[in-house]
Amino acid sequence: MTQILVTGANGFVGRALCRALANGGHAVTGLVRQAGGCISGVSEWVETSRDFAGLERAWPEGMKPECVIHLAARVHVVNEDATDPDAAFRATNVDGALRVVKAAFRNGARRVVFVSSIKATAEADAGRPLREDDAPAPQDPYGRSKLAAEEALVRYGQDTGLEVVIVRPPLVYGPEVRANFLRLMDAVWKGLPLPLASVSARRSLVYVDNLADALVCCAIDPRAANQCFHVADRDDPTVAGLVRVLAKHLEKPARLLPVPVGWLRLAGRLTHRSPQIERLIGGLQVDTNRIRAVLGWQPPHSLDDGLAATACWYRSTH
């Protein structure tokens, strides 16, 4: 049994991860900002300090995790009100991550698994799947903060001997998903026409239970030490293909209109929504050969399985 500390344990990915760890017989402590929301069997540690300031002083006596899986982060803000978004993201995603890792290392941790994002690398794949060694070019404050955190943690690991594992998932989906994926399901559920039938670019996704399984491997497999991995499902659907599968599992018609991609890009420019349009029509595939080769990891669930589970949850709430 391994003692593992999970930050953000009561979040969307955190709950799935804690289930996977508990099922594997590991002892899990969840570091969260608000009480409640963790799954049964997780020891909850509530710490409300901003960006984990003073975490080392608040560290519970006797807690000696062997590994930390750091999920907590400032994510995309729909109506950003920070005067300096880069600084706001950096305060949480870089400075906060370093505080967690330093405190954990001083209390016995020998490995950290940092859950980054494919946005630390790029927003599009430029015609081939993104690899871990591609030159990073993040395009927004969130992506830049994730890349900066990766670099800071790697330096700290090199200075101290702490094993640092970086995991970069693309869009994560599953039961209780929020944001853009939920809005897409809402549109299919309501029977809204979607102008996506002509979109042929493919985008990698990862089912939340597949991501959780990969994170467990990264936490306990000695071969993962000081590696960076891209993690995704086996299949990369087009957005139109994704809509069709979701519609099947939601038992709704897929109302797809064949609007030329060029027209969609023009509409994005005219409405100042080009980034949102590109996330629907642009290609973003990730290369997962490294985690397969180094750890022998394979996603335990298919894309269809993941979408079926997600649709089942959605139907249960409507």
Side-chain angles (χ1 to χ4, degrees), residues 258-293:
V259 177
V261 170
W263 291 13
L264 296 175
R265 286 200 166 96
L266 176 60
R269 290 194 294 271
L270 293 175
T271 60
H272 306 289
R273 295 177 60 86
S274 289
Q276 294 90 332
I277 295 296
E278 284 302 322
R279 282 195 286 272
L280 284 172
I281 66 177
L284 181 58
Q285 292 180 273
V286 304
D287 186 324
T288 60
N289 284 325
R290 178 177 290 179
I291 192 170
R292 297 168 193 263

Side-chain angles (χ1 to χ4, degrees), residues 230-263:
H230 290 174
V231 175
D233 292 346
R234 289 189 187 90
D235 300 316
D236 299 331
T238 64
V239 177
L242 176 63
V243 168
R244 292 187 182 99
V245 178
L246 278 174
K248 177 186 73 173
H249 291 302
L250 289 171
E251 300 176 358
K252 297 287 183 177
R255 301 188 186 281
L256 291 163
L257 304 179
V259 177
V261 170
W263 291 13

Side-chain angles (χ1 to χ4, degrees), residues 25-183:
H26 304 289
V28 184
T29 297
L31 175 54
V32 296
R33 288 184 56 83
Q34 294 181 333
C38 288
I39 68 164
S40 176
V42 171
S43 298
E44 196 173 74
W45 171 18
V46 179
E47 174 53 49
T48 60
S49 60
R50 187 177 181 86
D51 300 328
F52 301 107
L55 187 67
E56 189 167 358
R57 293 190 300 274
W59 199 271
E61 185 177 354
M63 190 176 72
K64 302 288 184 182
E66 298 163 62
C67 177
V68 177
I69 304 177
H70 187 56
L71 287 166
R74 187 178 200 259
V75 296
H76 306 290
V77 180
V78 176
N79 296 310
E80 179 63 76
D81 58 1
T83 56
D84 186 347
D86 276 280
F89 275 99
R90 186 178 181 90
T92 300
N93 296 349
V94 184
D95 300 339
L98 271 172
R99 291 186 186 112
V100 170
V101 169
K102 289 179 178 180
F105 179 71
R106 291 164 186 163
N107 284 276
R110 292 296 173 261
R111 175 175 293 189
V112 58
V113 178
F114 177 66
V115 183
S116 183
S117 168
I118 199 61
K119 288 173 72 69
T121 304
E123 294 282 353
D125 61 24
R128 66 162 177 79
L130 295 169
R131 297 192 297 259
E132 291 85 349
D133 58 357
D134 285 336
Q139 299 297 308
D140 66 6
Y142 172 72
R144 289 191 288 271
S145 71
K146 283 295 191 178
L147 178 62
E150 291 181 15
E151 294 169 342
L153 294 181
V154 168
R155 286 194 299 269
Y156 184 75
Q158 291 169 343
D159 291 341
T160 62
L162 175 71
E163 296 175 353
V164 177
V165 187
I166 306 295
V167 177
R168 294 176 183 152
L171 186 149
V172 185
Y173 70 96
E176 301 181 20
V177 69
R178 294 291 182 263
N180 290 337
F181 202 95
L182 180 59
R183 286 191 281 273

